[in-house]
Amino acid sequence: MVKEEIKNNKKYFICEECKLRYKEKRWAEKCQEWCKKYNSCNIEITKHAIK
Ligand SMILES: [Zn+2]
């Protein structure tokens, strides 16, 4: 499960493996799956993260 966080009345989803934050849950889930499996980040996924 990805972590949910509310900040400034906006909801974010956090990958618990790499701590990147996403606006969309599906990306956070993809990221977490990838991070767990490969122990690295996929740039195609992390480009959707919020800086
Ligand atoms: Zn991740």
Side-chain angles (χ1 to χ4, degrees):
M1 266 297 276
V2 295
K3 208 176 149 197
E4 292 181 14
E5 187 185 78
I6 312 271
K7 212 175 183 185
N8 301 325
N9 284 326
K10 280 178 192 149
K11 201 171 191 179
Y12 298 106
F13 301 93
I14 302 163
C15 167
E16 290 202 277
E17 300 294 315
C18 66
K19 310 291 177 198
L20 279 175
R21 193 173 283 153
Y22 295 88
K23 242 191 302 191
E24 289 173 83
K25 192 177 186 182
R26 63 195 178 101
W27 287 116
E29 283 172 343
K30 268 189 213 287
C31 185
Q32 194 160 300
E33 267 173 43
W34 186 279
C35 290
K36 265 197 187 136
K37 209 167 173 180
Y38 302 103
N39 228 332
S40 71
C41 281
N42 181 342
I43 193 145
E44 290 301 312
I45 297 171
T46 57
K47 71 181 179 188
H48 295 276
I50 297 160
K51 279 170 220 150

